[in-house]
């Protein structure tokens, strides 16, 4: 089966022309940084994308060569950041029910070597058992980094907000993320005692200047900012063309002339800031989020995925991809990830069975899609 990679093609942008011509500048970048610094109680810095933000966080807290535990059901962007920081990923298997690692699978990771840190991912907005993770981290002296690409605004069972627990918090504002401005990301450094492996301490009054040195100095590339501006409009045309089955060729052309870029191919770059209009849009979305966010993408594990997808397609649903079709996605980067299927059997199994609903369907549409699934019968979602 062919899987498309244009998750929803920006269907959550209701007014593509407004985004195309939206204003925004350096002031909006500062405004969002201030908001994030307060919200997550640290020093925030906007970056070009989530993977660059994660690379900054990792290189602040870990030394080259160290191992870091990562959810064994993730995207290659995370691994790219780990590699950029010259660290090594150790994959933890997941529970089928939450798509996250748990105390048991974390313990198993340590049998494969000593790790120094752990990236919490809250897959598809499902929060990890944070009490368990904290206990594990404390016992083994691990530093926690929270990656909120899927889970901005989510609350843990402990009552804490995601992003207020770890030494650093990372956000992605990429396509279909919890906050979606097509591209962009942020890192919030929270713990200044552990920075640089506590080789030196940064006094409170020196934090701002210290962080200043890490801050990207170059403006967003014109081509990147144009790609972000146009994407919602292209998405709308793409969806329109899907009725006459010309969407595929349309997207292939846009890719060929580099007017659209696949999310997975977005370059890691530590020197570039996001565009001002993206920061402005992100801040607006955060304000909306204050009521509290839920699950990002409802998921089902199916024994006959291809058939069910075909049925959903016939019922008028447009699924152009899901998270994740490989334990480290997308497939074309999977080989480079160093993932060993025998270490993470549940993640491997789940990747072959999962589908998830894009974020833009409303409750009524979702109810109908669930009917299709129910009618089909054999789906399961229980834990291994
Ligand atoms: C998408 C994603 C990232 C990276 O985001 P980019 O902005 O695409 O670099 C990081 N972590 C997770 C879990 C993601 O899904």
């Amino acid at each position: 089966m062919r899987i498309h990679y244009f998750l929803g093609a920006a269907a959550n942008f209701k007014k593509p022309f407004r985004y195309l011509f939206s204003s925004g500048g350096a002031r909006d970048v500062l405004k969002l940084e201030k908001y994030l610094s307060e919200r997550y109680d640290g020093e925030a810095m906007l970056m070009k994308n989530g993977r660059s933000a994660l690379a900054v966080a990792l290189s602040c807290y870990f030394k080259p060569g160290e191992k870091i535990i990562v959810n064994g059901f993730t995207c290659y962007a995370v691994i790219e950041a780990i590699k950029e920081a010259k660290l090594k990923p150790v994959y933890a298997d997941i529970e089928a029910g939450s798509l996250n690692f748990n105390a048991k699978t974390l313990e198993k990771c340590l049998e494969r070597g000593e790790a120094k840190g752990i990236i919490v991912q809250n897959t598809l907005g499902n929060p990890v058992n944070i009490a368990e993770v904290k206990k594990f981290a404390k016992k083994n002296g691990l530093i926690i980094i929270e990656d909120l690409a899927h889970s901005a605004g989510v609350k843990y069972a402990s009552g804490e907000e995601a992003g207020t627990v770890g030494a650093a918090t990372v956000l992605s504002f990429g396509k279909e993320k919890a906050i979606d401005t097509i591209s962009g990301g942020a890192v919030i450094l929270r713990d200044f005692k552990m920075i640089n492996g506590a080789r030196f301490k940064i006094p409170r009054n020196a934090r701002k200047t210290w962080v200043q040195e890490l801050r990207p100095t170059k403006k967003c590339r014109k081509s990147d900012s144009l790609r972000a501006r146009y994407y919602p409009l292209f998405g709308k045309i793409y969806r329109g063309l899907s009725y006459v089955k010309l969407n595929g060729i349309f997207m292939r052309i846009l890719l060929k002339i580099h007017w659209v870029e696949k999310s997975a191919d977005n370059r890691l770059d530590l020197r570039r800031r996001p565009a001002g209009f993206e920061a402005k849009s992100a801040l607006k979305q955060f304000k909306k989020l204050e009521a509290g966010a839920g699950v990002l993408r409802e998921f089902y594990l199916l024994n006959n995925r291809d058939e069910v997808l075909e049925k959903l397609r016939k019922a008028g649903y447009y699924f152009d991809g899901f998270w994740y079709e490989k334990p480290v996605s997308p497939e074309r980067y999977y080989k480079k990830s160093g993932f060993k299927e025998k270490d993470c059997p549940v993640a491997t199994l789940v990747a072959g069975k999962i589908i998830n609903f894009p974020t833009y369907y409303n409750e009524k549409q979702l109810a109908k899609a669930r009917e299709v699934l129910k009618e089909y019968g054999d789906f399961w979602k229980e834990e291994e």
Side-chain angles (χ1 to χ4, degrees):
M1 182 193 53
R2 200 170 137 256
I3 297 166
H4 304 259
Y5 288 93
F6 304 96
L7 296 160
N12 47 339
F13 281 78
K14 297 284 181 274
K15 297 192 171 113
F17 278 107
R18 187 181 283 183
Y19 202 60
L20 177 54
F21 297 113
S22 60
S23 62
R27 230 186 47 216
D28 295 288
V29 171
L30 290 175
K31 238 163 116 177
L32 178 58
E33 285 182 340
K34 184 160 176 283
Y35 175 86
L36 294 175
S37 298
E38 282 165 16
R39 181 175 177 128
Y40 295 110
D41 188 26
E43 286 293 332
M45 169 162 58
L46 293 201
M47 303 292 298
K48 180 190 181 231
N49 48 27
R51 67 202 78 184
S52 307
L54 183 56
V56 168
L58 293 172
S59 50
C60 280
Y61 293 95
F62 305 100
K63 290 198 276 290
E66 290 181 343
K67 286 187 177 144
I68 182 132
I69 297 176
V70 59
N71 204 59
F73 188 68
T74 192
C75 61
Y76 190 72
V78 172
I79 308 311
E80 226 184 311
I82 291 174
K83 287 186 174 173
E84 173 71 22
K86 301 192 169 61
L87 307 172
K88 296 194 179 102
V90 183
Y91 296 96
D93 204 5
I94 58 166
E95 310 178 318
S98 73
L99 308 180
N100 293 319
F101 48 52
N102 61 21
K104 227 165 73 194
T105 62
L106 288 174
E107 287 292 345
K108 277 227 167 104
C109 280
L110 295 183
E111 289 168 14
R112 281 183 260 138
E114 188 194 9
K116 294 288 185 193
I118 176 166
I119 300 174
V120 165
Q121 176 183 279
N122 305 315
T123 317
L124 306 188
N126 300 290
V128 298
N129 182 337
I130 198 68
E132 218 174 78
V133 172
K134 270 189 189 169
K135 205 167 125 199
F136 171 81
K138 191 159 179 206
K139 191 176 108 195
N140 297 292
L142 306 186
I143 296 172
I144 298 175
I145 307 291
E146 289 175 276
D147 175 353
L148 306 192
H150 301 188
S151 59
V154 162
K155 269 215 167 92
Y156 293 118
S158 64
E160 292 158 293
E161 195 197 324
T164 63
V165 172
T169 293
V170 172
L171 293 150
S172 163
F173 306 138
K175 294 169 203 160
E176 286 280 298
K177 306 290 176 171
I179 303 279
D180 176 354
T181 68
I182 309 302
S183 70
V187 52
I188 301 102
L189 300 175
R190 304 182 66 252
D191 183 336
F192 281 82
K193 289 197 291 289
M194 295 303 292
I195 276 186
N196 279 325
R199 272 165 284 166
F200 57 88
K201 269 200 186 134
I202 302 154
R204 187 167 273 275
N205 57 9
R207 285 176 191 178
K208 267 212 157 56
T209 24
W210 189 84
V211 170
Q212 201 59 35
E213 307 223 330
L214 294 176
R215 204 167 242 117
T217 49
K218 290 192 173 166
K219 273 172 58 174
C220 181
R221 262 183 220 281
K222 197 94 204 148
S223 53
D224 284 333
S225 113
L226 278 176
R227 264 196 287 269
R229 277 187 186 282
Y230 272 101
Y231 190 76
L233 180 63
F234 289 154
K236 198 171 180 102
I237 299 170
Y238 176 69
R239 294 191 310 279
L241 287 174
S242 74
Y243 295 105
V244 285
K245 296 198 160 46
L246 289 173
N247 54 329
I249 188 146
F250 175 65
M251 200 47 92
R252 269 201 295 279
I253 292 168
L254 290 179
L255 280 167
K256 187 116 200 152
I257 59 178
H258 302 288
W259 284 21
V260 159
E261 180 181 65
K262 291 184 182 181
S263 300
D265 298 331
N266 199 263
R267 284 276 172 77
L268 190 149
D269 190 338
L270 303 179
R271 297 160 309 156
R272 297 269 173 192
R273 292 193 297 256
F277 69 90
E278 292 176 311
K280 193 173 173 180
S281 167
L283 185 57
K284 233 161 86 187
Q285 291 177 45
F286 265 109
K287 293 272 156 100
K288 272 197 205 152
L289 202 76
E290 277 170 5
V295 167
L296 180 66
R297 297 168 76 89
E298 188 174 318
F299 74 92
Y300 294 90
L301 305 178
L302 303 160
N303 289 321
N304 295 307
R305 179 165 70 188
D306 290 4
E307 276 177 59
V308 177
L309 277 177
E310 193 47 44
K311 201 152 196 183
L312 281 164
R313 221 164 272 150
K314 284 205 176 116
Y317 287 91
Y318 202 63
F319 282 68
D320 32 7
F322 35 81
W323 295 355
Y324 296 107
E325 86 278 15
K326 285 280 169 200
V328 183
S329 276
E331 184 159 17
R332 64 206 144 92
Y333 290 113
Y334 184 46
K335 275 215 178 76
K336 291 211 290 187
S337 70
F339 183 89
K340 290 201 184 71
E341 299 191 343
K342 70 169 178 24
D343 290 339
C344 302
V346 180
T348 305
L349 190 77
V350 163
K353 293 183 183 297
I354 197 164
I355 65 163
N356 39 68
F357 292 172
T359 45
Y360 50 84
Y361 288 128
N362 64 32
E363 210 21 69
K364 220 172 117 191
Q365 291 168 312
L366 287 178
K368 243 184 80 193
R370 286 187 205 110
E371 276 305 306
V372 174
L373 290 176
K374 206 179 273 168
E375 186 186 310
Y376 216 80
D378 59 350
F379 67 92
W380 50 277
K381 202 177 171 175
E382 67 268 17
E383 283 172 36
E384 278 289 281

